[in-house]
DNA sequence: TAGGTATTAGGACAATTGACCTAGAAGCGT
DNA sequence: ACGCTTCTAGGTCAATTGTCCTAATACCTA
């Protein structure tokens, strides 16, 4: 097999395992077992674990950028695009309830480890942040675009954390509904509109 | 020294290190070095690392319960009590920006490790959840009390996660202000009141 | 002070980790 | 078929992990 393909397999396996088990808890042996390679052979593709982590983050950055570009290419209204982001909580519900948000948990782990790659992992947040900011600007909330982007990013992180702690999909649906209502209330020129709270939660 | 005192020292050192570095990344040697004990002596106090984790969680449950009881003992209005919870984000800002929320990050790590103690760590969330729920009931939002409690818990988790990723205290202050406004809007019988968004965020 | 219990230090243990080396297999252009 | 580069398997290495044992010390009671 050509090196680039093997490398890609390794990165994708590491991507999944870093998400499911965490960076530190995933060993080279785990990834080797998944890919079907010998342990020792890793050194040919990645000199250190940090180098592998860097490749995984780069891979995630590319995947994320391409997803966001895809959403932006669609001829949708900006608020509908923002809803695409919110809907990630529903689309990836099962994984999120099991392992949290891939971005949030990675940044959290790297923060605790005081790892050099922490700032690079935070670029994943930046991708969402600036994309959301752009949508809010197009939405007509130029001045507050970044704060609104941070707000919705914050909410999705909070939902993901509690979803993983409680494994409660009704809560997730409920809060996604709240985010939709909140977003509707952000339309500029809309008369005052209180944030509603659906109460289907058990 | 009496065993109970040493045990307490160990638990408190482990509590801090588990928070700052994470459960897995903290070794017995780290804790021993902090407390000033020999590594081997640990086995006398805790047979396994899981037993130590359990003691740490128990310790956190007691600390948290006592904090919440203290807030509830004060003759305050329920919404002011809820603000005490929100203010934790300000009071512990430095630590949160460095290591995230102690509860959220522990639950997240244990979820990834598929650890038996995960549900016990989630009891920490339950403590806050039920306490907040009680305040919202006293606030006159009987029917939606639990959903409102989960909502504010979710927000504090989201703020903590992004605070750790961005180390941005303006963001924290901004979102705390938003939570205050949101809370004011939850007063029953209050005319519609839109969630405001302060825009001091850089 | 004597005797027994409670507590400690220091080290041994196997297992696992990331890192690294080397011999050789596989692939490819000539 | 040749030679050269690319790639791989298996193993070694020191360090660190949680666990566990044992001899010695500290402490308290009688």
């Amino acid at each position: 097999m050509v090196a680039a393909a093997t490398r890609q397999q390794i990165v994708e396996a590491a991507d999944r395992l870093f998400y499911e088990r965490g960076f530190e808890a995933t060993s080279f042996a785990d990834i080797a077992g998944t890919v079907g390679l010998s342990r020792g052979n890793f050194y040919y593709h990645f000199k250190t674990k940090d180098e592998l982590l860097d490749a995984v983050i780069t891979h995630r950055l590319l995947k994320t950028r391409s997803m966001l570009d895809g959403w932006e290419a669609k001829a949708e209204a900006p608020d509908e695009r923002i809803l695409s982001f919110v809907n990630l909580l529903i689309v990836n519900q099962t994984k999120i309830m099991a392992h949290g948000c891939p971005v949030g948990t990675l940044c959290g782990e790297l923060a605790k480890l005081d790892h050099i790659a922490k700032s690079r992992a935070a670029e994943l947040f930046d991708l969402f942040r600036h994309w959301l900011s752009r949508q809010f600007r197009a939405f007509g909330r130029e001045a507050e675009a970044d704060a609104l982007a941070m707000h919705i990013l914050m909410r999705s992180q909070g939902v993901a954390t509690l979803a993983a702690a409680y494994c409660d999909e009704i809560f997730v649906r409920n809060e996604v509904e709240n985010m939709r209502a909140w977003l509707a209330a952000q339309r500029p020129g809309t008369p005052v509109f209180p944030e509603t709270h659906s109460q289907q939660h058990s």
Side-chain angles (χ1 to χ4, degrees), chain A:
Chain A
M1 170 148 20
V2 122
T6 304
R7 200 186 140 95
Q8 186 67 11
Q9 275 193 309
I10 292 174
V11 168
E12 277 164 14
D15 184 9
R16 210 192 76 227
L17 290 172
F18 285 177
Y19 173 41
E20 291 174 358
R21 309 182 188 177
F23 169 65
E24 266 225 352
T26 301
S27 70
F28 275 24
D30 291 332
I31 306 169
T34 301
V35 180
L37 288 184
S38 68
R39 263 165 300 119
N41 192 16
F42 258 93
Y43 195 66
Y44 180 78
H45 298 279
F46 296 98
K47 278 201 273 291
T48 67
K49 201 184 182 184
D50 289 355
E51 195 181 309
L52 173 57
L53 173 61
D54 212 64
V56 166
I57 294 177
T58 301
H59 181 239
R60 289 193 188 181
L61 283 169
L62 287 174
K63 275 195 308 181
T64 304
R65 214 184 310 263
S66 123
M67 179 183 69
L68 294 176
D69 286 351
W71 288 346
E72 211 154 18
K74 287 204 285 185
E76 283 180 328
D79 55 339
E80 288 183 84
R81 290 186 185 148
I82 295 170
L83 286 181
S84 296
F85 169 77
V86 172
N87 266 330
L88 282 179
L89 287 168
I90 303 287
V91 174
N92 300 327
Q93 202 174 42
T94 306
K95 285 183 179 179
I96 289 173
M97 289 197 305
H99 318 106
C101 165
V103 183
T105 54
L106 180 64
C107 284
E109 183 175 2
L110 297 183
K112 298 233 180 204
L113 297 176
D114 236 341
H115 198 285
I116 322 170
K118 184 207 158 188
S119 60
R120 223 171 114 56
E123 286 179 34
L124 283 160
F125 270 136
D126 278 329
L127 241 43
F128 287 106
R129 175 182 185 172
H130 295 138
W131 184 89
L132 285 166
S133 199
R134 212 152 50 236
Q135 309 315 313
F136 276 111
R137 271 200 299 276
F139 193 50
R141 300 294 299 265
E142 185 92 20
E144 323 90 339
D146 183 61
L148 294 173
M150 284 295 277
H151 180 80
I152 216 163
L153 206 50
M154 172 278 280
R155 281 204 189 196
S156 79
Q157 285 301 303
V159 172
T161 302
L162 286 190
Y166 280 115
C167 296
D168 182 340
E169 49 182 313
I170 295 176
F171 159 74
V172 175
R173 274 206 300 271
N174 211 12
E175 285 298 340
V176 165
E177 201 42 58
N178 286 339
M179 286 167 84
R180 290 210 183 93
W182 172 86
L183 185 61
Q186 298 312 123
R187 203 187 317 274
T190 297
V192 286
F193 190 94
E195 186 171 5
T196 61
H197 277 272
S198 325
Q199 306 306 340
Q200 301 84 346
H201 190 65
S202 63

